[in-house]
Amino acid sequence: LKTKVNCKRFAFYWLPAYLYMGLIFYLSSQSRPAVPAIILRWDKITHFFEYAVLGLLLIRALNKEYPKRNFLALKLIALAAAAIYGASDEFHQRFVPGRNSCLADWTVDSAGAGLGSFFTVKRDILKKA
């Protein structure tokens, strides 16, 4: 029974975060991303919201996995994990033909991850109100 609960928790909370990270990796592996030209013109906005979603998915999973932990600490962990992933993604792009690595992109990735991970409210707080 406990294994079944753990599998459900993984599938519902962690798997979306991992799949989304895989999508980011896949898209950054493309020499010519199949996205509309307008999105490429707004590259920094795309980076920001892409990592805001990742930050949100990570804090969601961490909060479910460690519900009794300090919520601010979990937010910081989600932010750090997304920022490290963003740095690894920028590094990865250095080796993709037609792509480059950019400190400004990583900075915007981290800011987006901050928004995503800090723009959440712990459910227990809402239940007590």
Side-chain angles (χ1 to χ4, degrees), residues 49-87:
F49 286 107
E50 177 181 30
Y51 277 82
V53 171
L54 180 58
L56 182 65
L57 289 171
L58 288 172
I59 188 59
R60 179 178 168 265
L62 285 165
N63 187 42
K64 184 64 176 180
E65 191 73 30
Y66 306 102
K68 295 182 182 184
R69 301 288 173 138
N70 180 302
F71 195 49
L72 177 59
L74 293 178
K75 288 180 178 192
L76 291 171
I77 291 167
L79 169 59
I84 290 168
Y85 188 76

Side-chain angles (χ1 to χ4, degrees), residues 14-29:
W14 286 105
L15 189 59
Y18 291 137
L19 289 174
Y20 190 72
M21 292 167 80
L23 177 64
I24 291 171
F25 183 85
Y26 171 76
L27 292 174
S28 69
S29 298

Side-chain angles (χ1 to χ4, degrees), residues 6-19:
N6 288 338
C7 287
K8 282 185 177 182
R9 182 174 53 217
F10 175 81
F12 191 72
Y13 291 96
W14 286 105
L15 189 59
Y18 291 137
L19 289 174

